[in-house]
Amino acid sequence: MKNKSKYSLKLVNKIALAALIAVSSTAAISDLNVHAATADAGLSAQKGSTYIKTIYKLASVGKIPGLNAIAGKTPISAVHYKWGGPEVGGDLKGNHYEMYNFGMGQGAYGFGINKSGVIYDLRNFGQSIDQSVGVKSLTFASVIQTLGMPKEVRFTGTDKIYVYSPAKAYELKFVGPSKAAKGKVAHIDHINVYAAKANT
């Protein structure tokens, strides 16, 4: 009877260990899936004019740093496959936005989706942990210094938006606060690559 009890205890311990390993492996795989949908994460570590030029170059082909998606071409289902459901907007139909925030320095992304399920607007909010790199490190002045004056400046609510045209099919938008606190410099909140033809 004691041998049977010892065998049962060993079996239970083995099953518990196997379950723990399986859960850990699943978490690791899930983490890998998040990064599989991202492009070169090292891009967000770039600073200043180098990063702005990289953003502009990517925007000319409908992309933003951190993603392999292409505005006007990639279906949101591809993002759902890689990252799962969004934190915001996943239950909406028709033209809508979906948001993913990975936290802990991993960044946040937004997607404008048309009624056919194609992404027409890519947004990179950068990460908030280290604001000396990536999107949050940029200022309107640094954007102008690197790219020249924007094609257009728009104001929406409390946001100021610098609009550039890196390619005929795309608009690149640098979005930040229209006013900064006294003695502060307004930093870019997020960037957009927008494909107007896909917004139907």
Side-chain angles (χ1 to χ4, degrees), residues 27-63:
I29 289 168
S30 173
D31 188 49
L32 287 174
N33 284 341
V34 166
H35 297 293
T38 61
D40 183 2
L43 290 177
S44 63
Q46 292 180 352
K47 293 184 179 183
S49 65
T50 302
Y51 191 48
I52 294 168
K53 288 175 185 175
T54 299
I55 291 168
Y56 192 86
K57 184 176 179 181
L58 287 169
S60 71
V61 293
K63 294 183 174 186

Side-chain angles (χ1 to χ4, degrees), residues 23-192:
V23 169
S24 297
S25 298
T26 303
I29 289 168
S30 173
D31 188 49
L32 287 174
N33 284 341
V34 166
H35 297 293
T38 61
D40 183 2
L43 290 177
S44 63
Q46 292 180 352
K47 293 184 179 183
S49 65
T50 302
Y51 191 48
I52 294 168
K53 288 175 185 175
T54 299
I55 291 168
Y56 192 86
K57 184 176 179 181
L58 287 169
S60 71
V61 293
K63 294 183 174 186
I64 59 174
L67 292 176
N68 285 322
I70 300 172
K73 295 183 180 178
T74 303
I76 193 63
S77 59
V79 175
H80 293 166
Y81 178 77
K82 297 269 188 184
W83 289 351
E87 288 183 36
V88 176
D91 55 349
L92 300 174
K93 302 294 180 214
N95 283 22
H96 67 282
Y97 277 84
E98 295 184 5
M99 297 290 298
Y100 291 82
N101 185 350
F102 297 110
M104 294 305 293
Q106 299 299 313
Y109 299 92
F111 302 91
I113 301 124
N114 67 20
K115 60 188 172 195
S116 300
V118 174
I119 299 167
Y120 64 84
D121 188 8
L122 297 170
R123 296 183 178 193
N124 181 333
F125 291 86
Q127 51 91 7
S128 299
I129 301 291
D130 182 1
Q131 294 189 358
S132 68
V133 296
V135 172
K136 304 282 192 210
S137 71
L138 306 177
T139 65
F140 287 113
S142 66
V143 171
I144 288 174
Q145 186 176 12
T146 304
L147 300 178
M149 290 302 292
K151 173 184 91 167
E152 184 181 350
V153 178
R154 299 177 188 159
F155 293 90
T156 302
T158 60
D159 289 339
K160 177 167 58 174
I161 306 165
Y162 280 12
V163 182
Y164 291 87
S165 295
K168 188 176 180 179
Y170 302 110
E171 285 184 342
L172 169 61
K173 302 175 186 178
F174 292 87
V175 183
S178 58
K179 293 182 182 177
K182 188 175 181 178
K184 300 279 184 177
V185 175
H187 284 259
I188 301 300
D189 177 67
H190 66 278
I191 58 170
N192 296 40

